[in-house]
């Protein structure tokens, strides 16, 4: 019995010593002081001070109000104990860069959750997510000179945010380069863009440019000046169950017409080459855009649609061609099938050369395209698809 008691005592002591310290909750407030303890009754005043004390598992609650400083989270949580930063319950924290600060939310750290913030008036990017295992959710990002949400980190989730009026550098519509509401850039790997609302950006809405292992799922994207959703020279990308639409006379027309709902590109980037491959557009809905989906060819030798699948989408009310695919001799293993494609003026689709693309079992409204469009295939049907109601942005 004494031996058993001693063993249990040391086992209990071991687990107590091995257990991490209890996570702490800190507060920051516009009326706080950095000499305070950072508790609810005595909050810190600045983000820098608050972040400096954070450890794995800690939470920072930002009291309501407008903060004119950048929030830089350079600390690391763990998978079991991430660091969380959010607006205090029932309050709204606003980070206002006053058009004098860039990267208002900057996260080079890892295992970080940020939720419930409003980020506005950046002289550059709204956010700069370059660390690992980051989640940004339930936040509003708007009025940024450059990208709204910029992602070059790994294992990043962007979920249930609203992004509008980014890339204001192009508000005069003469910028030499494009920004995006949400941009996945080189280095981005394992990115999930889920359930966001993205609109009125003076560039693309959502763009994956030299990204990999990216999922764009369940977003509502509309009336952007460039392309609503753009996949450019990236690989292993799934674009699924998004609603991409355009409204007439929104004020965000480019060259007199609304955006492409979806586009695929292979633009040139120094040292990157042609890496577009294994891109799937699946179960998306588009409405009243200039084109449903477009590919304008490769700007890089060896580039083409390689294992690109455009399947089970609905392209409705297109003002130009619903499916517009330029020829590339390096296109191979690609598929356009199972789509519902409607267009009132008969410009249903145009495929410059179908080599490397399998086309079959699409439903065309009102008729299968002419043979010169190179878009028809075995198993195609046409006529009235018999929706319960005409597709609309706000259906009854």
């Amino acid at each position: 019995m004494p031996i058993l008691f001693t063993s249990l005592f040391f086992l209990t002591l071991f687990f107590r010593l091995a257990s991490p310290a209890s996570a702490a909750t800190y507060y920051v407030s516009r009326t706080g002081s950095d000499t305070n303890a950072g508790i609810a009754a005595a909050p810190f005043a600045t983000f820098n001070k608050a972040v400096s004390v954070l450890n794995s598992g800690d939470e920072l609650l930002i009291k309501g109000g407008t903060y004119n400083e950048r929030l830089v989270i350079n600390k690391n949580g763990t998978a079991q104990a991430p660091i969380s930063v959010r607006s205090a319950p029932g309050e709204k924290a606003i980070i206002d860069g006053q058009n004098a600060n860039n990267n208002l939310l900057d996260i080079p750290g890892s295992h970080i959750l940020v939720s419930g913030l409003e980020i506005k008036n950046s002289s550059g990017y709204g956010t700069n997510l370059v660390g690992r295992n980051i989640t940004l959710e339930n936040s509003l990002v708007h009025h940024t000179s450059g990208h709204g949400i910029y992602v070059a980190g790994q294992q990043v989730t962007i979920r249930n945010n609203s992004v509008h009026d980014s890339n204001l550098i192009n508000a005069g519509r003469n910028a030499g380069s494009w920004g995006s509401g949400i941009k996945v850039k080189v280095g981005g790997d394992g990115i999930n863009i889920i359930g966001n609302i993205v609109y009125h950006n003076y560039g693309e809405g959502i763009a994956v440019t030299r990204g990999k292992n990216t999922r764009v799922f369940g977003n509502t994207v509309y009336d952007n000046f460039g392309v609503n959703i753009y996949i450019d020279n990236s690989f292993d990308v799934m674009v699924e169950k998004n609603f991409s639409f355009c409204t007439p006379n929104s004020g965000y027309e480019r060259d007199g017409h609304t955006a492409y709902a979806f586009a695929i590109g292979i633009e040139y980037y120094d040292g990157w080459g042609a890496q577009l491959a294994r891109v799937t557009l699946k179960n998306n809905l588009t409405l009243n855009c200039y084109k449903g989906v477009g590919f304008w060819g490769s700007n890089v030798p060896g580039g083409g649609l390689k294992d690109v699948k455009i399947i089970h989408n609905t392209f409705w009310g297109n003002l130009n061609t619903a499916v517009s695919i330029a020829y590339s001799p390096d296109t191979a293993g690609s598929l356009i099938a199972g789509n519902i494609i409607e267009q009132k003026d008969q410009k249903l689709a145009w495929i410059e050369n179908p080599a490397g693309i399998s086309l079959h079992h699409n439903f065309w409204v009102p008729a299968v395209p002419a043979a010169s469009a190179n878009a028809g295939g075995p198993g195609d049907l046409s006529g009235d698809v018999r929706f319960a109601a005409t597709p609309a942005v706000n259906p009854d």
Side-chain angles (χ1 to χ4, degrees), residues 155-330:
Q155 307 303 319
V156 177
T157 295
I158 302 165
R159 179 173 59 215
N160 298 336
N161 304 286
S162 181
V163 184
H164 66 84
D165 290 284
S166 74
N167 200 37
L168 292 179
I169 192 173
N170 194 33
R173 307 182 183 212
N174 55 5
S177 61
W178 294 96
S180 309
I182 300 175
K183 169 75 86 175
V184 178
K185 200 69 171 177
V186 62
D189 186 358
I191 311 301
N192 290 285
I193 302 170
I194 303 172
N196 303 281
I197 300 174
V198 185
Y199 64 99
H200 291 180
N201 298 286
Y202 284 98
E204 301 95 5
I206 297 174
V208 182
T209 302
R210 290 179 289 170
K212 56 185 177 179
N213 301 314
T214 298
R215 186 184 187 214
V216 182
F217 180 86
N219 302 280
T220 298
V221 189
Y222 64 94
D223 293 341
N224 295 285
F225 183 68
V227 176
N228 278 346
I229 299 179
Y230 182 38
I231 310 303
D232 175 28
N233 213 342
S234 299
F235 57 90
D236 296 318
V237 180
M238 172 64 76
V239 182
E240 183 177 9
K241 293 186 178 180
N242 301 281
F243 183 23
S244 176
F245 69 89
C246 303
T247 55
N249 304 313
S250 70
Y252 289 82
E253 292 79 12
R254 180 184 178 191
D255 299 329
H257 62 72
T258 54
Y260 286 36
F262 297 90
I264 301 170
I266 309 175
E267 297 188 35
Y268 172 81
Y269 302 97
D270 188 32
W272 185 255
Q275 298 198 51
L276 182 88
R278 299 178 300 282
V279 174
T280 297
L281 274 64
K282 178 181 179 182
N283 289 329
N284 300 285
L285 173 62
T286 79
L287 182 64
N288 296 340
C289 287
Y290 185 64
K291 294 181 186 288
V293 59
F295 170 66
W296 46 76
S298 174
N299 295 336
V300 185
L305 299 181
K306 298 177 181 178
D307 194 18
V308 171
K309 295 179 174 61
I310 301 172
I311 55 176
H312 307 305
N313 304 283
T314 298
F315 301 114
W316 200 267
N318 310 281
L319 305 180
N320 193 265
T321 47
V323 179
S324 181
I325 307 295
Y327 174 63
S328 170
D330 295 288

Side-chain angles (χ1 to χ4, degrees), residues 66 68 94-104 118-126 140-146 164-165 168:
T66 299
N68 303 128
I94 301 169
I95 302 176
D96 185 348
Q98 299 180 312
N99 298 312
N101 291 299
N102 186 15
N103 300 346
L104 300 181
E118 180 176 348
I119 299 166
K120 66 179 184 178
N121 297 328
S122 170
S123 62
Y125 305 165
L140 169 61
V141 181
H142 64 101
H143 289 90
T144 63
S145 181
H164 66 84
D165 290 284
L168 292 179

Side-chain angles (χ1 to χ4, degrees), residues 24 26 37-38 44 47-56 58 60 75:
Y26 295 99
F44 296 127
F47 295 151
N48 283 344
K49 174 61 179 181
V51 170
S52 73
V53 302
L54 293 177
N55 294 302
S56 296
D58 288 349
L60 173 62
K75 293 297 191 74

Side-chain angles (χ1 to χ4, degrees), residues 19-35:
S19 298
S22 297
T25 298
Y26 295 99
Y27 291 79
V28 63
S29 169
R30 292 284 296 143
T31 59
S33 170
D34 283 350
T35 61

Side-chain angles (χ1 to χ4, degrees), residues 331-349:
T331 289
S334 292
L335 173 66
I336 301 175
N339 302 286
I340 298 172
I341 305 171
E342 185 266 358
Q343 198 152 308
K344 295 177 181 178
D345 65 0
Q346 303 293 316
K347 295 179 181 178
L348 296 166

